[in-house]
Amino acid sequence: MSVNNPTKFDRRNIIKSGFLLSLGTFLISKSQSIAGNSLNNSLNNNISDDNSQMGATSLIYPFTLPKLEYGFAALEPNIDKMTMEIHYTKHHQGYLNNLNKIIESNVSLQNLKIEEVLPKITNEKSDNGLKNNAGGHFNHTFFWNILTPKQSSKEPKGDFLNHVIKDFGSLDRLKVSFDEAAKTRFGSGWAWLVYDDNDRKLKVTSTPNQDNPLMNFSEVKGKPIMGIDVWEHAYYLKYQNKRADYITSFWNILDWSKVENNYNKATLK
Ligand code: MN
């Protein structure tokens, strides 16, 4: 069909070709969403995820990679493209694959959201696989969600800021405390700001490996509000041994509005 010679089209052909075009578009988007559901999906798949609290594609088993709201290079120069790509497609994907394998043979976990799986995990050796991989999936999904390429000039306000001032004195004091937790976590792990339901306080803590403050054996328990991955795989390509510089750059790409959302959800009665 020649587009240059529209006189050769009759109305019927135009309607027919319009229909075929729509069908083609539908099939392409369908095949993309099928590919998106496979465990090998990559950022290039535009997966729809309107049913998610955390931005995750699948809320229950089988879990899938969450859609990133930005490209691998978008967080440059704070986090470099290669680190993001490897971190998301290899590390996070690895935790996911292992988690799905473990849950495949554990029917009681198959209808639970990841944040409902975490409190069921014990610190016994027999739960090690589940602990590392369920934690790995939750923690990374949480982390991607609070990062943004739109450098956050907008600092928090309202209820969240008031709570920070009440428990830490100021936003700067919270940052100092969080930085310290992230810097001093020995080996691999995470630093967190959590909300503790029991005393209604915001607390800074850190966890080893892929442990998480929603796990019952966590030293400080609470709902995660903000977190940073301090595993070497999160920063070593660009920052090498300078973890402190990576932590400083975290504040440039932190989306305070997501942090506030996490706070609002956590404090909701
Ligand atoms: Mn990581």
Side-chain angles (χ1 to χ4, degrees):
M1 288 190 291
S2 163
V3 188
N4 295 329
N5 195 352
T7 54
K8 290 206 170 163
F9 281 94
D10 63 18
R11 196 178 149 75
R12 215 176 134 160
N13 272 339
I14 289 170
I15 291 168
K16 204 165 128 193
S17 63
F19 169 74
L20 288 173
L21 259 177
S22 322
L23 180 69
T25 309
F26 170 76
L27 288 174
I28 287 164
S29 73
K30 196 78 187 156
S31 70
Q32 273 173 348
S33 78
I34 290 164
N37 283 333
S38 90
L39 290 178
N40 295 319
N41 75 34
S42 78
L43 257 193
N44 298 328
N45 295 316
N46 204 7
I47 311 153
S48 87
D49 65 341
D50 50 4
N51 63 341
S52 160
Q53 288 183 337
M54 297 196 309
T57 307
S58 172
L59 287 184
I60 58 165
Y61 168 85
F63 295 106
T64 55
L65 280 179
K67 179 188 170 187
L68 283 188
E69 291 175 10
Y70 41 82
F72 293 136
L75 304 178
E76 296 257 14
N78 299 288
I79 300 179
D80 62 286
K81 180 177 183 240
M82 188 183 278
T83 296
M84 275 303 296
E85 185 164 0
I86 295 172
H87 203 173
Y88 178 85
T89 64
K90 305 293 181 200
H91 292 280
H92 190 171
Q93 185 70 69
Y95 297 119
L96 262 175
N97 294 350
N98 292 331
L99 175 63
N100 284 329
K101 253 182 250 161
I102 292 165
I103 296 189
E104 190 179 7
S105 55
N106 195 333
V107 181
S108 69
L109 299 176
Q110 288 180 359
N111 289 313
L112 299 181
K113 292 179 191 168
I114 190 66
E115 57 267 45
E116 294 168 332
V117 172
L118 299 182
K120 296 194 175 295
I121 302 170
T122 72
N123 211 15
E124 301 302 312
K125 217 174 171 183
S126 56
D127 267 359
N128 266 355
L130 183 61
K131 178 178 75 175
N132 293 336
N133 294 294
H137 175 47
F138 178 94
N139 294 347
H140 287 88
T141 303
F142 182 88
F143 187 52
W144 309 137
N145 184 53
I146 60 169
L147 300 181
T148 177
K150 293 171 198 128
Q151 308 260 310
S152 57
S153 51
K154 255 182 26 183
E155 296 226 315
K157 49 187 180 334
D159 290 348
F160 174 65
L161 181 62
N162 291 337
H163 207 147
V164 166
I165 291 169
K166 186 162 113 299
D167 290 349
F168 294 91
S170 68
L171 186 65
D172 280 344
R173 296 267 300 270
L174 162 64
K175 286 181 173 178
V176 169
S177 173
F178 187 86
D179 283 352
E180 196 57 22
K183 278 184 224 165
T184 55
R185 164 48 56 191
F186 182 74
S188 299
W190 293 72
W192 303 97
L193 173 69
V194 301
Y195 174 71
D196 185 342
D197 256 338
N198 296 313
D199 54 12
R200 295 179 186 172
K201 284 201 160 152
L202 289 168
K203 297 170 183 178
V204 166
T205 187
S206 73
T207 52
N209 305 313
Q210 296 297 350
D211 290 10
N212 172 284
L214 291 171
M215 293 174 182
N216 280 320
F217 51 86
S218 181
E219 202 179 306
V220 174
K221 284 189 61 188
K223 294 177 185 165
I225 307 295
M226 178 167 88
I228 183 172
D229 187 343
V230 293
W231 281 59
E232 283 185 347
H233 71 223
Y235 62 86
Y236 205 85
L237 289 179
K238 180 178 166 75
Y239 296 95
Q240 292 86 44
N241 59 318
K242 299 184 280 286
R243 184 193 282 188
D245 291 354
Y246 158 69
I247 297 165
T248 301
S249 74
F250 168 77
W251 300 110
N252 298 332
I253 47 171
L254 177 65
D255 188 341
W256 283 108
S257 68
K258 297 284 181 62
V259 174
E260 286 179 288
N261 285 347
N262 290 337
Y263 169 82
N264 292 335
K265 268 189 278 178
T267 52
L268 213 62
K269 280 289 159 237

